[in-house]
Amino acid sequence: MSHQVSATEAELDGFWKEFASRTWERQPLSLTSSPVQLELGDEELMRALTTAADPAARPKGSGLPRILVSVDGRTQPIDTRPFLPLPEDRTLDGYLARVDRRMRDHDWSVAVSGLHAVDAELWDRAKRLADDVYRYTGSPIAGRVDIDTFIGRYASTNVGVHVDHAGNFGFTLRGRKTLLTWPPERAEQVPQHTADYGSARELADVLVGVPGALTYFPSAQLHVGEAPDGVAVSVNIAFFTRSDPAALVVEAVGELLARAEGHEAGTGAPATDDSARAVADRLPAAARAALATLSGLSSDAIADVVWERHMCAVTSAGLGVGRPAGPLAAVPRRATVRKHADVQVRQRLLADGRRAVATQGHTLKVTDHPQVADAVATLGDGGALALADWESAADPAAVPLLHAVLLRLASWRAIGIEAEPIP
């Protein structure tokens, strides 16, 4: 669970029960001291920000992290690298001081969303908080979960008062950040998408973020942030409450079209008559190719890809991207393995005959074998797998398949390994 070391399990349980019954999606919250904390150190944040600046470190196709720099309230179409940690900064304070000296005559902010996509420890922290929210509120969030940071010295958030449609937990690491929030029924009284909202200030709930504090506001709240007197660093975990179920199918079809052979300009299905041919001839070649390929897609193939995308969300607690993988290391053959308590493992037999194993926002596909399926089911149900005993009774063909699965599960921190001593 996400908390300070000094917090007891009873204190955390009491906080979450109170939060779920009185606060979640009902009203904003501002605590000067909270048992729920990210336990995020300066070095960890510096590492995550440095990695976010490297395009090569971003998961393929995720579009994360996203970096947005604002100066004097306007988004800047400039090189963002000088606004992120540089080797000479050495520490978080050194980084903040350098950027603030450079921008001493201006308001400035750096927003980085999707930090969990490039940092495994931040991924774990965000997932632990998401697991706690789900456990105590009783239902998963419809949309995605995001962890981001907002850094800077600014009179107000660059977009002014706005609504994110995301419940937001805020943790301040440096300085002081003030959040003004308004319930949706005040919308007509609050100027939006402008920094000129002074007329509505007295109507706002004021949330104060300082180190050790916790702020929260529901997804429907209008809000704006302020940190005018000094550089503030906040890390937020946002729970988006809107989603489009049809998007899963559309994305899956798009992925299958991209995979399909012959999906190139100039290819397409033969017309069945002159009328159909005339219609087809009026379409761009690439569109004809897409239609031809689409007609050949099976519902089972589409269902497999939809399942895979859904499992990315389910097994990552909504983070929507796999946990950054650790180094690959073979699991000892005389080891006992079991999944970690906070991990979900799911599997599915695919239309092409392979078996898919999903966990921690990732999916692995291997040749299907019933003994491997049974072993994965044992792990998914929380059981232990003593590999030496399992191998002694297994079909030799199943052994390398299971070890291929375990290799990936270990790199995603899905399983714990207890190595037995060699006699």
Side-chain angles (χ1 to χ4, degrees):
M1 301 171 79
S2 304
H3 56 79
Q4 294 175 317
V5 175
S6 59
T8 67
E9 291 300 315
E11 289 172 330
L12 286 163
D13 184 62
F15 168 86
W16 281 116
K17 286 179 178 177
E18 175 82 0
F19 179 86
S21 65
R22 295 173 59 89
T23 306
W24 175 249
E25 285 295 281
R26 293 180 178 87
Q27 61 185 1
L29 175 71
S30 183
L31 299 177
T32 56
S33 179
S34 169
V36 176
Q37 293 292 325
L38 284 184
E39 298 179 355
L40 181 64
D42 293 359
E43 292 183 2
E44 292 170 308
L45 182 58
M46 285 285 283
R47 181 187 65 233
L49 290 170
T50 300
T51 307
D54 180 7
R58 299 173 184 174
K60 184 178 179 181
S62 72
L64 299 175
R66 299 185 185 95
I67 302 169
L68 187 68
V69 172
S70 176
V71 176
D72 293 333
R74 295 186 177 183
T75 302
Q76 300 298 300
I78 58 177
D79 179 12
T80 59
R81 193 68 189 91
F83 288 86
L84 292 169
L86 299 175
E88 60 265 29
D89 293 332
R90 298 184 181 275
T91 65
L92 180 62
D93 288 331
Y95 155 58
L96 300 176
R98 173 182 61 79
V99 179
D100 201 40
R101 281 195 304 270
R102 173 178 176 170
M103 304 304 297
R104 60 184 177 272
D105 296 325
H106 304 275
D107 277 14
W108 64 275
S109 65
V110 180
V112 186
S113 59
L115 278 175
H116 59 283
V118 295
D119 191 276
E121 292 187 21
L122 281 177
W123 194 97
D124 290 341
R125 283 169 169 78
K127 184 175 182 295
R128 281 197 294 269
L129 186 71
D131 285 342
D132 286 342
V133 170
Y134 297 165
R135 182 180 304 117
Y136 284 91
T137 62
S139 61
I141 304 304
R144 61 187 174 86
V145 178
D146 184 34
I147 182 167
D148 57 65
T149 185
F150 208 86
I151 301 168
R153 175 177 45 76
Y154 45 91
S156 68
T157 307
N158 66 309
V159 296
V161 178
H162 61 287
V163 179
D164 290 329
H165 303 291
N168 187 290
F169 292 83
F171 305 88
T172 302
L173 276 63
R174 284 287 193 282
R176 177 187 176 93
K177 178 176 181 177
T178 301
L179 284 163
L180 305 180
T181 75
W182 298 263
E185 53 267 27
R186 295 275 194 187
E188 293 185 1
Q189 300 170 272
V190 183
Q192 298 176 45
H193 304 293
T194 174
D196 186 16
Y197 51 84
S199 61
R201 181 176 290 273
E202 292 185 358
L203 302 175
D205 289 306
V206 180
L207 316 182
V208 178
V210 293
L214 172 69
T215 62
Y216 165 81
F217 57 82
S219 62
Q221 293 279 122
L222 293 86
H223 62 277
V224 67
E226 301 176 341
D229 300 323
V231 179
V233 179
S234 60
V235 176
N236 310 310
I237 300 182
F239 292 76
F240 288 84
T241 54
R242 289 187 172 184
S243 67
D244 178 8
L248 279 174
V249 178
V250 173
E251 291 168 2
V253 171
E255 181 174 325
L256 287 168
L257 286 174
R259 292 180 191 174
E261 295 182 1
H263 178 39
E264 300 174 355
T267 63
T272 56
D273 55 43
D274 291 340
S275 176
R277 185 176 293 107
V279 172
D281 287 343
R282 289 198 294 268
L283 296 175
R288 293 202 308 272
L291 287 172
T293 306
L294 183 61
S295 67
L297 294 179
S298 72
S299 60
D300 288 340
I302 296 172
D304 286 345
V305 180
V306 170
W307 177 87
E308 182 176 348
R309 289 176 173 270
H310 181 54
M311 285 301 104
C312 176
V314 168
T315 64
S316 69
L319 290 170
V321 64
R323 183 184 191 271
L328 293 174
V331 176
R333 306 192 87 129
R334 293 181 58 83
T336 298
V337 299
R338 54 170 52 89
K339 78 174 182 67
H340 293 295
D342 61 338
V343 168
Q344 293 190 60
V345 177
R346 305 286 182 87
Q347 59 178 321
R348 176 183 176 93
L349 183 62
L350 302 175
D352 65 7
R354 292 181 298 168
R355 180 159 297 275
V357 179
T359 187
Q360 300 284 76
H362 294 277
T363 303
L364 169 69
K365 302 178 182 72
V366 296
T367 301
D368 184 42
H369 193 291
Q371 291 178 332
V372 173
D374 289 345
V376 170
T378 296
L379 292 173
D381 290 339
L385 201 63
L387 293 182
D389 294 341
W390 183 87
E391 288 187 17
S392 67
D395 177 356
V399 174
L401 295 175
L402 180 63
H403 276 274
V405 172
L406 297 178
L407 180 73
R408 294 294 180 179
L409 297 190
S411 75
W412 300 329
R413 201 202 69 88
I415 55 173
I417 302 169
E418 301 171 11
E420 296 182 8
I422 300 176

